[in-house]
Amino acid sequence: MIVTTLTLRELLNDGGMASHMYTAFNTGYLFMGFLVLYVLMAKEILGWTVVQVGWSFIAIPAANVLTMYALLPAIIRNVGVHGCLTYASFATCAVLTLFAVPAVHSTAVGFMFCVFALIVCIVCAQTPNQMRIKTISDSLSPAQMGQITGISRVCFALGQMVSPIACAALFTASPSAAIASMIATTAGVPAMFLRHSQGMFRDPPPAVRRNLSRVKLVGEDGEGGGAGGGEKGASART
């Protein structure tokens, strides 16, 4: 059995991994930044009570359920994982641009429309990016799927950590400025795909195991197939 292990640097230098990490950071930034702006704008701009804000949060899981079970399977089936992620990034920028207009976010109808649409767009980016963990792992090192998943979650958490500070600080200057920061990070997703030569509208072909630096041949009994490995070592190399 061939077991391929990579160093952390080798993992991070892969183009697919780099674009995946940035997308994970961006979705974390969007999710937490959106929640901060949601509460601030509902209270400061729309003047909603605590109870009204609480009830309005129903829109978030409703949009999530609709996207996960009604929209996302059909979208991925028709345009693929990379295509779904790319189109979701473009749609997110469009919704956020509309949301940044004061005449839109200062009305309850405009506010809730953008909130619902934004959740749909974010889920359509986050879920395909999570699906990429498997394809990236298969092409790099299937044995390190847990490590790749951990790196992805760290990037998502970093986005969640940065966005409340950045969005709240920018909100004090202008709500539109805070929303502009979310547009900027989202625009970076297709830019990272282009920078690292990742197909924006085409999924990568089925993974072929790469011959990378750390390959061990292991026999059934766990012993290496070296000079003293005997017949089991030879069979492991077959």
Side-chain angles (χ1 to χ4, degrees):
M1 180 176 67
I2 300 178
V3 180
T4 307
T5 58
L6 308 178
T7 64
L8 180 60
R9 175 173 291 183
E10 287 171 328
L11 284 176
L12 301 184
N13 283 342
D14 178 77
M17 188 65 184
S19 62
H20 169 78
M21 289 165 56
Y22 180 82
T23 306
F25 171 86
N26 179 62
T27 53
Y29 188 96
L30 291 179
F31 264 121
M32 192 62 73
F34 158 76
L35 290 176
V36 169
L37 289 181
Y38 185 94
V39 175
L40 288 175
M41 294 173 77
K43 293 286 291 177
E44 300 292 329
I45 297 176
L46 298 178
W48 288 356
T49 66
V50 173
V51 174
Q52 287 175 311
V53 172
W55 276 104
S56 69
F57 264 85
I58 294 175
I60 297 176
N64 203 333
V65 170
L66 173 66
T67 306
M68 293 293 289
Y69 291 100
L71 301 179
L72 203 53
I75 294 173
I76 292 178
R77 185 168 57 250
N78 284 281
V79 302
V81 172
H82 282 210
C84 180
L85 210 164
T86 301
Y87 285 123
S89 298
F90 293 154
T92 301
C93 288
V95 172
L96 286 170
T97 300
L98 179 65
F99 196 33
V101 177
V104 175
H105 66 237
S106 60
T107 66
V109 173
F111 180 80
M112 290 307 300
F113 171 81
C114 290
V115 164
F116 194 90
L118 187 56
I119 290 297
V120 171
C121 293
I122 294 174
V123 173
C124 283
Q126 184 192 32
T127 303
N129 198 50
Q130 290 176 324
M131 294 171 65
R132 293 182 70 209
I133 293 175
K134 179 66 167 60
T135 57
I136 292 170
S137 172
D138 286 346
S139 68
L140 294 179
S141 177
Q144 292 175 273
M145 185 173 177
Q147 183 180 11
I148 293 170
T149 303
I151 294 171
S152 175
R153 298 307 298 174
V154 167
C155 293
F156 182 81
L158 288 174
Q160 289 183 307
M161 181 175 64
V162 172
S163 62
I165 301 170
C167 289
L170 290 169
F171 181 85
T172 60
S174 167
S176 297
I179 296 171
S181 74
M182 299 168 73
I183 296 173
T185 61
T186 303
V189 172
M192 285 292 287
F193 269 66
L194 291 174
R195 168 67 177 80
H196 293 283
S197 302
Q198 300 299 301
M200 293 176 63
F201 302 100
R202 181 182 299 175
D203 293 345
V208 177
R209 191 79 56 83
R210 302 179 185 181
N211 294 320
L212 292 166
S213 62
R214 299 168 188 264
V215 178
K216 296 187 292 184
L217 298 177
V218 182
E220 293 178 357
D221 59 354
E223 296 296 329
E231 295 180 358
K232 290 184 179 180
S235 66
R237 286 189 289 270
T238 303

